[in-house]
Amino acid sequence: MTTLTFKELGLSDDILTALEKKGFEQPSPIQLETIPMLLANTHDLIGHAQTGTGKTAAFGLPILESLDPTSGPIQALVLTPTRELTIQVSDELHSLKGKKNLTITPVYGGQSIMNQKKQLKKRNDIIVGTPGRLIDHLKSKNLDLSHIKYLVLDEADEMLNSGFIEDIELILSKTNADRRTLLFSATMPKPILSLANRYMGDYKTINIKKETLATTLTEQIYFEVRESDKLEALCRIIDVEAEFYGLIFCRTKRDVDRITEKLIHRGYAAEAMHGDLSQFQRERVLGKFRKKICSILVVTDVASRGLD
């Protein structure tokens, strides 16, 4: 099967140079489907694909191609569920824009709201932000979304799972009706489709099958154990590895704190990360994990979005 190149998808030489510098060689399935569609027509879009499949470049490249560097108002808004994903998406878009003179600004809680206010008074082409902090700026009239060309809901299912539905609806109400709305999600529960039907126009759907996303570089193993044996089993798995270095995912913030406390009590170098931590605390924990001061990071799936 012949795979199209990024050049054949219709991207400019400037963007192609940026992709080459990043080492991108061939488009992923979601990029193959999304990029030509966004470049060729004006439909809204729902992209159904798993996390880690290249969705940021899938929506980011066509948006970067179409934005006018000389425009005054904010041209695009990307909504993300977590601070970490906000930073990652912003950094990714910045690296993909090449020499195009576009200002990409991350806006999230935990960062100085006054510094953000100063930046929002300047020229900003793309805003990437979490719903809560964006609403803070909308209420303070620091943010004007009445002229945006693109609105992207990234990891939409996680935003709804985190209880952001009312925040999202409020933000949508502050945008212009002729915007183009792009919704990306790993799952498609009914609330997502309901949101799309209420706030999106004539939209197309791209569905990337799970079987195309499997990686041969990851060995996947699971063990069936009783609830009461989970901690013992976890500790044995950690002890089997000469130098265990990894992530432990838990369903709730309470589980994260409980498991971390028990691991520390048993002498393991573990740290917790979830939505209740401040931005400073998150950065401190991630810094310790990167430097391998702690070898075990216990996280909720939402808090870990955006981790490389």
Side-chain angles (χ1 to χ4, degrees), residues 15 17-18 21 33 70 79 92 98 152 161 185 202 210 232 286 288 294 300:
I15 296 291
T17 300
K21 285 183 179 178
E33 296 277 352
T70 63
L79 281 172
E92 182 80 354
V152 182
N161 289 341
S185 187
D202 181 20
K210 288 185 180 180
E232 292 300 329
L286 287 174
K288 290 174 70 174
C294 75
T300 53

Side-chain angles (χ1 to χ4, degrees), residues 139-156:
K139 288 181 176 178
S140 301
K141 306 209 181 289
N142 301 328
L143 194 59
D144 180 10
L145 302 176
S146 61
H147 299 282
I148 62 170
K149 298 176 182 177
Y150 292 93
L151 171 65
V152 182
L153 301 178
D154 193 16
E155 304 285 8

Side-chain angles (χ1 to χ4, degrees), residues 70-90:
T70 63
S71 178
I74 296 167
Q75 301 183 71
L77 172 67
V78 182
L79 281 172
T80 59
T82 68
R83 302 162 186 170
E84 286 75 25
L85 192 58
T86 293
I87 295 167
Q88 179 176 307
V89 170
S90 177

Side-chain angles (χ1 to χ4, degrees), residues 6-20 35 39 61-62 64-66 96-100:
F6 281 108
K7 185 173 184 178
E8 289 171 313
L9 296 184
L11 297 170
S12 66
D13 289 341
D14 193 28
I15 296 291
L16 291 172
T17 300
L19 286 168
E20 188 177 347
I35 293 172
L39 290 175
L61 291 170
L64 291 167
E65 283 282 18
S66 65
L96 291 171
K97 73 183 179 68
K99 295 180 180 179
K100 197 166 184 178

Side-chain angles (χ1 to χ4, degrees), residues 227-286:
E227 182 71 30
S228 58
D229 295 333
K230 274 188 174 182
L231 183 65
E232 292 300 329
L234 174 62
C235 291
R236 288 191 185 188
I237 292 169
I238 293 172
D239 292 340
V240 164
E241 296 292 329
E243 294 184 9
F244 184 90
Y245 180 61
L247 299 165
I248 297 173
F249 290 94
C250 297
R251 186 172 297 172
T252 67
K253 291 179 277 190
R254 184 177 296 178
D255 287 339
V256 167
D257 289 334
R258 179 174 58 83
I259 296 299
T260 305
E261 183 179 348
K262 289 185 176 181
L263 289 174
I264 292 172
H265 182 70
R266 291 183 177 220
Y268 296 102
E271 290 280 352
M273 192 176 78
H274 52 61
D276 285 350
L277 271 63
S278 68
Q279 184 62 22
F280 173 79
Q281 289 172 315
R282 290 188 187 204
E283 291 173 356
R284 180 186 63 81
V285 169
L286 287 174

Side-chain angles (χ1 to χ4, degrees), residues 20-289:
E20 188 177 347
K21 285 183 179 178
K22 287 179 65 66
F24 284 22
E25 296 180 356
Q26 287 187 323
S28 69
I30 187 68
Q31 293 163 2
L32 274 173
E33 296 277 352
T34 303
I35 293 172
M37 183 181 292
L38 292 181
L39 290 175
N41 60 52
T42 58
H43 288 291
D44 287 353
L45 173 70
I46 291 180
H48 183 192
Q50 300 302 296
T51 300
T53 54
K55 293 197 295 292
T56 302
F59 66 75
L61 291 170
I63 288 176
L64 291 167
E65 283 282 18
S66 65
L67 296 190
D68 180 4
T70 63
S71 178
I74 296 167
Q75 301 183 71
L77 172 67
V78 182
L79 281 172
T80 59
T82 68
R83 302 162 186 170
E84 286 75 25
L85 192 58
T86 293
I87 295 167
Q88 179 176 307
V89 170
S90 177
D91 289 346
E92 182 80 354
L93 293 176
H94 185 76
S95 67
L96 291 171
K97 73 183 179 68
K99 295 180 180 179
K100 197 166 184 178
N101 185 25
L102 295 170
T103 302
I104 301 159
T105 304
V107 175
Y108 53 89
Q111 192 183 49
S112 168
I113 197 165
M114 293 309 296
N115 288 344
Q116 290 176 359
K117 182 179 179 180
K118 290 178 184 176
Q119 177 58 40
L120 291 173
K121 287 182 177 179
K122 302 175 184 177
R123 179 180 148 235
N124 300 278
D125 297 294
I126 303 174
I127 300 291
V128 185
T130 52
R133 181 50 64 93
L134 288 170
I135 286 176
D136 290 340
H137 286 297
L138 284 169
K139 288 181 176 178
S140 301
K141 306 209 181 289
N142 301 328
L143 194 59
D144 180 10
L145 302 176
S146 61
H147 299 282
I148 62 170
K149 298 176 182 177
Y150 292 93
L151 171 65
V152 182
L153 301 178
D154 193 16
E155 304 285 8
D157 52 350
E158 289 300 338
M159 281 194 279
L160 295 186
N161 289 341
S162 300
F164 286 133
I165 181 64
E166 291 182 358
D167 291 346
I168 292 171
E169 290 178 337
L170 176 59
I171 292 167
L172 286 168
S173 72
K174 301 294 183 182
T175 62
N176 45 306
D178 61 344
R179 68 177 188 277
R180 195 170 183 186
T181 304
L182 316 176
L183 187 155
F184 289 84
S185 187
T187 60
M188 282 294 159
K190 287 184 179 178
I192 294 270
L193 298 175
S194 176
L195 187 75
N197 290 330
R198 289 201 309 276
Y199 292 101
M200 295 176 71
D202 181 20
Y203 64 83
K204 301 286 186 180
T205 301
I206 292 174
N207 188 11
I208 302 300
K209 295 180 181 179
K210 288 185 180 180
E211 50 263 36
T212 65
L213 310 176
T215 172
T216 57
L217 302 178
T218 303
E219 183 181 6
Q220 301 185 51
I221 305 170
Y222 73 91
F223 303 94
E224 291 188 13
V225 296
R226 289 191 297 268
E227 182 71 30
S228 58
D229 295 333
K230 274 188 174 182
L231 183 65
E232 292 300 329
L234 174 62
C235 291
R236 288 191 185 188
I237 292 169
I238 293 172
D239 292 340
V240 164
E241 296 292 329
E243 294 184 9
F244 184 90
Y245 180 61
L247 299 165
I248 297 173
F249 290 94
C250 297
R251 186 172 297 172
T252 67
K253 291 179 277 190
R254 184 177 296 178
D255 287 339
V256 167
D257 289 334
R258 179 174 58 83
I259 296 299
T260 305
E261 183 179 348
K262 289 185 176 181
L263 289 174
I264 292 172
H265 182 70
R266 291 183 177 220
Y268 296 102
E271 290 280 352
M273 192 176 78
H274 52 61
D276 285 350
L277 271 63
S278 68
Q279 184 62 22
F280 173 79
Q281 289 172 315
R282 290 188 187 204
E283 291 173 356
R284 180 186 63 81
V285 169
L286 287 174
K288 290 174 70 174
F289 188 62

